[in-house]
Amino acid sequence: MTTLAASASVAEPFAVRLRTQTQNAHTRAESAGFMSRLMGGTGSIDQYVALIGQYFFIYEALERVGESFRTDPVGQAFISDALLRRQALEADLSFFSGPNWRETIEPLPATVTYVERLEAVASNSALFVAHHYLRYLGDLSGGQIIRVMVQRHYGISEEGLSFLIFPEVPKPKPFKDAYRVALEDAEWSADDRDDFILEVDRAYGLNFDLFTQLGESTAAK
Ligand code: HEM
């Protein structure tokens, strides 16, 4: 007997499609020379600090633009104070570079491009959440591995790693599962969902370009 459930084509969950279709872009970003040196122990504390210095500008924009989604009927499901990273980045930069840390950083061209893109997607919940997903689910996934590796290789104490510590998300897995349910439930059209995946791919590229420029700008140090 053919049951309804068996005969109906069960749609592939969006989170699965998203992960599958962006897997190559993830691998490329994860394997960027700058990132693999940092993870492999041949990078340096200075390089980690240079990375979070660029992240300061990116999260400032991500979270500034994110504020406008607090009242957005679709976007609001994703906005959570538990994720906010800007203050954590400020604390870490102050830890490494002292009270005048803000004068020690300026955005690389790749960061400027990234920030411009974040500002450009401010009126489209699918495109904005694509960026939100990429950074925060990445921080709650690979970010936790990065935290262990930089701690191990460079002896950075937890005091300098607030960016990768989420006190209000003690268990990333259920948080990420709930996030994926929200992705599933969001009232986006099929076209919006295609655009979301393309934007995630684009955002991986923006991160990759940043790693490339960080590799170049910190190579002489
Ligand atoms: C050194 C680097 C990295 C390692 C070792 C790493 C590792 C991982 C692992 C193991 C997962 C799967 C976790 C899970 O299924 O719960 C994951 C997921 C993820 N990573 Fe990475 N990653 C790295 C770099 C990055 C970078 C640079 C980005 C973004 C720019 C990123 C974005 C993501 C995202 C968005 C996910 C969630 C995928 C999903 O389940 O939908 N990762 N990463």
Side-chain angles (χ1 to χ4, degrees), residues 74-119:
V74 183
Q76 63 181 346
F78 300 92
I79 305 298
S80 159
D81 287 347
L83 294 173
L84 298 178
R85 297 290 87 198
R86 185 188 156 160
Q87 280 186 4
L89 283 163
E90 289 178 356
D92 289 349
L93 288 163
S94 171
F95 172 78
F96 289 112
S97 309
N100 298 329
W101 61 270
R102 184 62 187 80
E103 290 153 32
T104 66
I105 55 171
E106 58 178 305
L108 287 166
T111 300
V112 174
T113 305
Y114 201 149
V115 166
E116 283 171 357
R117 185 62 194 161
L118 288 168
E119 288 169 348

Side-chain angles (χ1 to χ4, degrees), residues 15 18-19 26 29-30 35-36 39 55 114 133-135 137-139 141-143 145-146 176 180 203-204 207 211:
L18 173 58
R19 189 188 292 187
H26 180 276
E30 178 188 11
M35 201 34 96
S36 47
M39 297 289 285
Y55 280 170
Y114 201 149
Y133 154 82
L134 180 90
R135 284 299 346 161
L137 255 63
D139 296 335
S141 308
I145 304 171
I146 295 174
K176 289 192 288 184
R180 291 187 185 110
Y204 272 119
N207 281 271
F211 298 151

Side-chain angles (χ1 to χ4, degrees), residues 11-158:
E12 183 182 29
F14 181 64
V16 173
R17 198 182 133 208
L18 173 58
R19 189 188 292 187
T20 313
Q21 294 189 2
T22 59
Q23 212 156 27
N24 289 345
H26 180 276
T27 305
R28 184 165 166 265
E30 178 188 11
S31 326
F34 177 83
M35 201 34 96
S36 47
R37 283 194 292 279
L38 204 57
M39 297 289 285
T42 56
S44 65
I45 293 189
D46 283 353
Q47 286 178 331
Y48 180 73
V49 178
L51 174 67
I52 62 169
Q54 296 305 307
Y55 280 170
F56 169 75
F57 300 106
I58 291 164
Y59 283 81
E60 188 283 320
L62 183 65
E63 292 172 4
R64 174 165 40 84
V65 173
E67 280 304 305
S68 61
F69 284 95
R70 281 188 191 272
T71 51
D72 180 90
V74 183
Q76 63 181 346
F78 300 92
I79 305 298
S80 159
D81 287 347
L83 294 173
L84 298 178
R85 297 290 87 198
R86 185 188 156 160
Q87 280 186 4
L89 283 163
E90 289 178 356
D92 289 349
L93 288 163
S94 171
F95 172 78
F96 289 112
S97 309
N100 298 329
W101 61 270
R102 184 62 187 80
E103 290 153 32
T104 66
I105 55 171
E106 58 178 305
L108 287 166
T111 300
V112 174
T113 305
Y114 201 149
V115 166
E116 283 171 357
R117 185 62 194 161
L118 288 168
E119 288 169 348
V121 301
S123 59
N124 182 318
S125 66
L127 298 186
F128 172 74
V129 176
H131 286 273
H132 188 274
Y133 154 82
L134 180 90
R135 284 299 346 161
Y136 295 117
L137 255 63
D139 296 335
L140 288 170
S141 308
Q144 299 311 299
I145 304 171
I146 295 174
R147 170 180 160 192
V148 172
M149 298 313 270
V150 298
Q151 229 167 350
R152 181 181 303 167
H153 293 311
Y154 313 114
I156 302 175
S157 73
E158 296 229 324

